[in-house]
Amino acid sequence: ARDEHVDRYLLMGTAIGIKGVDQDPRTPRRVAELRELLGDSPKEVFVDGGSRANTVGPLAAAGCHGVIPGSLVYGDADPAAAIERLHGLSRKAVR
């Protein structure tokens, strides 16, 4: 299997090391393309960089299993509530 040495996949939504910029709008398409390449592989796909409340739903709909939250969670006054909102956004997107 081509992914036998891989635990999960991480796609970057922004250039590495660049903070505070919006996610590349092509990221959901890249997630969908990776999921298609993986076929029936159970390996998870995550996205890091540019995660915002408005990007989580499209990423989940494209097959992304999760995001690596930075300021989306840690910049919120209530990080636990921010995590709950993230879960809600992703659940809505995959229904």
Side-chain angles (χ1 to χ4, degrees):
R2 78 179 137 243
D3 66 352
E4 66 189 31
H5 300 291
V6 175
D7 293 324
R8 67 179 51 121
Y9 292 87
L10 177 67
L11 286 176
M12 295 304 298
T14 61
I16 295 173
I18 305 298
K19 304 284 184 208
V21 298
D22 288 337
Q23 192 173 84
D24 184 326
R26 298 172 294 188
T27 305
R29 185 180 75 228
R30 291 175 52 224
V31 168
E33 289 171 356
L34 176 57
R35 297 292 301 149
E36 186 176 324
L37 284 172
L38 292 174
D40 63 353
S41 171
K43 305 299 173 137
E44 295 177 323
V45 175
F46 284 79
V47 171
D48 187 5
S51 297
R52 309 282 187 267
N54 66 317
T55 63
V56 174
L59 292 173
C64 184
H65 294 91
V67 297
I68 309 302
S71 61
L72 182 62
V73 169
Y74 301 109
D76 195 286
D78 185 349
I83 290 171
E84 277 305 308
R85 284 192 302 276
L86 272 175
H87 286 258
L89 290 168
S90 62
R91 280 192 296 271
K92 264 189 348 193
V94 295
R95 285 186 191 177

